[in-house]
Amino acid sequence: QVQLVESGGGLVQPGGSLRLSCAASGTIFSSYAMGWYRQAPGKQRELVATITTGGNTNYADSMKGRFTISRDNAKNTVALQMNSLKPEDTAVYYCYLRRTDWRGGTYWGQGTQVTVSS
């Protein structure tokens, strides 16, 4: 089984920056995508960004240009650098790992709170 541990959430002022990290442990696969979703109160969960084993990235339009996702395959970690944060970015951010081999399977982190407020 895979366990995902997130860190880096907290309170930040509008226009500020925050860096989230997610570390995977347990069974590590050779081919998998990792990324982030977020969910604000009363809103549906939405995709933030994804990154494949090979480093291909995908961002939601509202985050493009402000957020950057990266991964370190040697450390089995993924990071989300968030810049120019806005109050509407306030949400619980969830890390996920999805196997892209024949077996498949998706794993989720516990979520970390990001609050953007003055």
Side-chain angles (χ1 to χ4, degrees):
Q1 192 68 272
V2 173
Q3 295 81 44
L4 302 176
V5 180
E6 298 153 308
S7 62
L11 175 65
V12 65
Q13 294 183 339
S17 298
L18 206 61
R19 184 179 178 87
L20 306 182
S21 295
C22 177
S25 62
T27 302
I28 305 301
F29 314 105
S30 61
S31 180
Y32 56 94
M34 295 186 70
W36 300 84
Y37 279 73
R38 72 183 185 185
Q39 187 168 26
K43 303 291 181 62
Q44 65 181 14
R45 186 174 298 189
E46 65 174 340
L47 174 70
V48 176
T50 62
I51 185 167
T52 67
T53 302
N56 294 321
T57 59
N58 181 259
Y59 299 90
D61 288 340
S62 62
M63 296 83 171
K64 194 173 300 181
R66 299 188 299 122
F67 293 4
T68 302
I69 189 170
S70 61
R71 66 189 289 168
D72 186 336
N73 291 334
K75 297 181 179 180
N76 301 312
T77 59
V78 62
L80 183 69
Q81 179 66 44
M82 303 184 293
N83 299 323
S84 302
L85 284 164
K86 307 173 182 179
E88 50 263 43
D89 294 319
T90 296
V92 178
Y93 285 70
Y94 297 90
C95 175
Y96 80 91
L97 182 155
R98 181 169 62 250
R99 295 182 64 172
T100 54
D101 57 13
W102 68 270
R103 187 60 179 262
T106 301
Y107 306 88
W108 293 90
Q110 77 283 0
T112 184
Q113 177 70 47
V114 172
T115 302
V116 184
S117 176
S118 61

